[in-house]
Amino acid sequence: FLRTLYSWVLMTWTPQNPFLLQLGFAIRNPKPGSGQPGPVTGLTSTYTAPDLDIKWTATATATGYQLAWSADEQEWEELYFGADIGYKYEAPTGLRWYKVRARNVHGYGDWSDVVSYDVPV
């Protein structure tokens, strides 16, 4: 009885209490293939005045993508969120860095490698 009570206090996962999932607690080691999407690959940027076209490769199990930009690689801001595997916009002049990550019902995956583009004046 004390072991069960101790388990309840710690809210630990054991085969005897799978109902913790129903309470909203997640297993620490989810089954492979059932979690967050992998990192996005193939991030490229192409400039055709006046638009900067940023594209990436689709990631398995992803339902959406978050594209972020930075002017200094320190502070990042969201530029786009949606299901497309690319985004085109009229970029401001100067050097900017971009990265993207995939999302699904289990959360966000890791960020992609960073690419930069220096839009001419």
Side-chain angles (χ1 to χ4, degrees):
F1 176 74
L2 288 177
R3 181 171 294 282
T4 303
L5 181 60
Y6 183 71
S7 176
W8 271 82
V9 170
L10 294 179
M11 297 302 279
T12 57
W13 171 265
T14 67
Q16 290 77 29
N17 57 359
F19 57 86
L20 288 177
L21 285 177
Q22 296 171 353
L23 295 174
F25 294 93
I27 301 171
R28 286 190 176 171
N29 297 318
K31 295 177 183 175
S34 65
Q36 299 165 330
V40 174
T41 59
L43 184 62
T44 61
S45 58
T46 307
Y47 182 72
T48 307
D51 295 326
L52 181 63
D53 191 11
I54 304 167
K55 295 183 180 180
W56 54 88
T57 305
T59 303
T61 73
T63 57
Y65 298 92
Q66 181 184 28
L67 175 66
W69 74 275
S70 175
D72 58 7
E73 285 192 280
Q74 301 297 319
E75 294 185 29
W76 293 87
E77 292 184 39
E78 183 178 291
L79 180 62
Y80 165 77
F81 182 82
D84 295 334
I85 56 168
Y87 182 72
K88 182 187 280 190
Y89 79 114
E90 190 172 329
T93 58
L95 182 61
R96 300 282 190 269
W97 288 268
Y98 301 92
K99 64 183 180 179
V100 66
R101 64 181 175 174
R103 186 181 197 302
N104 66 16
V105 296
H106 299 285
Y108 287 97
D110 293 332
W111 286 105
S112 69
D113 292 335
V114 176
V115 298
S116 64
Y117 198 88
D118 193 359
V119 176
V121 178

